[in-house]
Amino acid sequence: MNRVLSIATRFLFTTCLVGMFPLCVLAQTGVWGGELVSRIDSLAEARLAEGPVSGFAIGVKRGGDLLMVRGYGLADVEQGVPANAETVYRIGSLTKQFTAAAIMQLVEAGSVDLDASISVYVPDFRLQGHDVRVHHLLTHTSGIKNYTELGDRFWREAVRDLSHAEMRDVFEGEPFNFAPGEEYGYSNSAYYLLGMIIEKASGTSYEDYLGENIFGPLGLTRSSYCHERRITPGRAQGYDQFEGTLVNDEAISMNTPGAAGALCSTVPDLLSWTEALRSGRAVTETSYQAMTTSARLNDGSAVEYGFGLRVVAGEHARIIHGGGINGFSTILAHYPDNGLDIVILSNTRSGAPAEMEQVIASWALGVVISED
């Protein structure tokens, strides 16, 4: 469970014990409206007080009812700039669902085949005798080594503006973790390659493809490829934690995460995005169904991942993904049976948005939401 029963969940239990909220009847009834906003405000203030956390933004929506979009804490500690509802954050691996949607658009156009070998699109990639299909990349079942797990070898290079060829050199010679389809193994390398496939199939850059086919058409005006040199109004500064205090995040070239994690966005844009994705405005209903269906391994067993989205089955099913990148941590969750959407973006690497999301969902749904 990692830190699930830490900051946010401790807060839930504490508030029940001291009588701040009627949480002891959590399993019987959910809350909405002003009461839930008040609880979220208190949760946010408690998280900031426990620290060290710079700030975050929270958005909660159910169906067509937007409950709240609010910023807490600071977007820039050194300048004392408050976070607000429109603050721009690096979203880390939330990028992957945009990448997967772009692939599905190209599948719909007949430009990409999910069952094709990736060598069709990246012909000189060293497959080491393995048969890697496009769908293996989408579902993290390719076996390709995750470059963020290569330690110093990767992080020494991460500050440089690497070309595709230089970035590939970091990981493509590494032995596969397993044969394609045999296991699940989260791989940023796989999603980096999907960005290259988008470029090959579309004839344009990953950045331009998303701008022209996703951000622009869907009105996501505050979402973009997160270049460091570009002036982005309202962009938060990123922070890490060191020996109990906040420190500035370590440098990283945004060439490095690429299609695996290089986007910036806001809470309002992400609430609009998740609705557009499932409503047929971004991809077809068939494509969305593929994105939100658990992948199957070669032995027929299911994994909790579709295309760019984690798929959690059960009584309170979730379509969810988190993100973490230097200075930032994020979560975007959709509960399809209840129409509930929760977005939390933090400009602190260990800002605990996943734990906070579980508490907010528990309050809204009247059940305990936790990781197994």
Side-chain angles (χ1 to χ4, degrees), residues 280-343:
R281 294 173 54 217
V283 297
T284 65
E285 181 179 346
T286 300
S287 292
Y288 181 68
Q289 183 67 32
M291 292 177 67
T292 55
T293 298
S294 294
R296 296 278 174 179
L297 299 178
N298 295 342
D299 65 3
S301 60
V303 298
E304 279 193 347
Y305 208 89
F307 297 169
L309 292 163
R310 186 174 166 224
V311 182
V312 183
E315 184 179 359
H316 300 284
R318 285 173 284 168
I319 308 299
I320 191 167
H321 214 290
I325 192 169
N326 298 32
F328 296 83
S329 51
T330 61
I331 193 83
L332 170 57
H334 172 61
Y335 293 78
D337 295 337
N338 311 93
L340 178 66
D341 294 312
I342 301 172
V343 183

Side-chain angles (χ1 to χ4, degrees), residues 271-288:
L271 287 172
S272 295
W273 158 250
T274 190
E275 181 178 1
L277 184 59
R278 60 181 183 265
S279 69
R281 294 173 54 217
V283 297
T284 65
E285 181 179 346
T286 300
S287 292
Y288 181 68

Side-chain angles (χ1 to χ4, degrees), residues 114-266:
L114 294 179
D115 291 322
S117 169
I118 67 170
S119 62
V120 172
Y121 310 100
V122 191
D124 55 343
F125 188 83
R126 299 196 297 275
L127 292 175
Q128 305 174 37
H130 292 291
D131 181 16
V132 181
R133 307 301 177 96
V134 174
H135 67 83
H136 290 134
L137 301 181
L138 286 164
T139 56
H140 298 296
T141 58
S142 69
I144 295 173
K145 181 78 73 175
N146 181 4
Y147 57 69
T148 58
E149 296 178 352
L150 295 176
D152 289 345
R153 179 166 171 242
F154 166 73
W155 291 108
R156 281 195 303 267
E157 298 295 310
V159 297
R160 299 177 53 220
D161 292 331
L162 301 178
S163 66
H164 282 328
E166 291 171 323
M167 187 63 197
R168 281 173 42 187
D169 280 344
V170 173
F171 64 87
E172 76 172 294
E174 293 290 323
F176 275 47
N177 288 336
F178 48 82
E182 289 296 309
E183 298 180 33
Y184 170 90
Y186 194 87
S187 177
N188 288 295
S189 306
Y191 269 76
Y192 188 94
L193 291 172
L194 285 169
M196 295 180 64
I197 291 173
I198 290 167
E199 293 183 344
K200 174 70 172 180
S202 69
T204 190
S205 70
Y206 174 79
E207 175 182 359
D208 288 346
Y209 183 89
L210 262 60
E212 294 167 8
N213 295 276
I214 293 180
F215 299 150
L218 298 179
L220 307 181
T221 60
R222 303 281 282 161
S223 301
S224 66
Y225 196 100
C226 207
H227 292 291
E228 285 299 282
R229 296 189 66 186
R230 177 182 297 157
I231 302 300
T232 303
R235 175 157 51 176
Q237 297 299 309
Y239 300 93
D240 286 323
Q241 299 169 347
F242 179 72
E243 296 183 349
T245 63
L246 282 178
V247 295
N248 288 310
D249 61 327
E250 294 186 2
I252 184 172
S253 165
M254 296 308 284
N255 285 18
T256 301
L263 299 185
C264 272
S265 192
T266 65

Side-chain angles (χ1 to χ4, degrees), residues 58-140:
I58 300 175
V60 181
K61 185 178 181 182
R62 186 169 61 195
D65 184 7
L66 177 61
L67 178 70
M68 62 172 290
V69 177
R70 236 171 242 194
Y72 301 89
L74 297 173
D76 187 320
V77 172
E78 292 174 328
Q79 302 299 321
V81 179
N84 60 47
E86 293 290 340
T87 297
V88 177
Y89 297 82
R90 290 178 185 167
I91 64 172
S93 285
L94 298 190
T95 298
K96 290 181 173 67
Q97 60 197 271
F98 289 90
T99 298
I103 288 287
M104 295 312 294
Q105 287 182 346
L106 292 166
V107 169
E108 292 163 12
S111 301
V112 169
D113 181 351
L114 294 179
D115 291 322
S117 169
I118 67 170
S119 62
V120 172
Y121 310 100
V122 191
D124 55 343
F125 188 83
R126 299 196 297 275
L127 292 175
Q128 305 174 37
H130 292 291
D131 181 16
V132 181
R133 307 301 177 96
V134 174
H135 67 83
H136 290 134
L137 301 181
L138 286 164
T139 56
H140 298 296

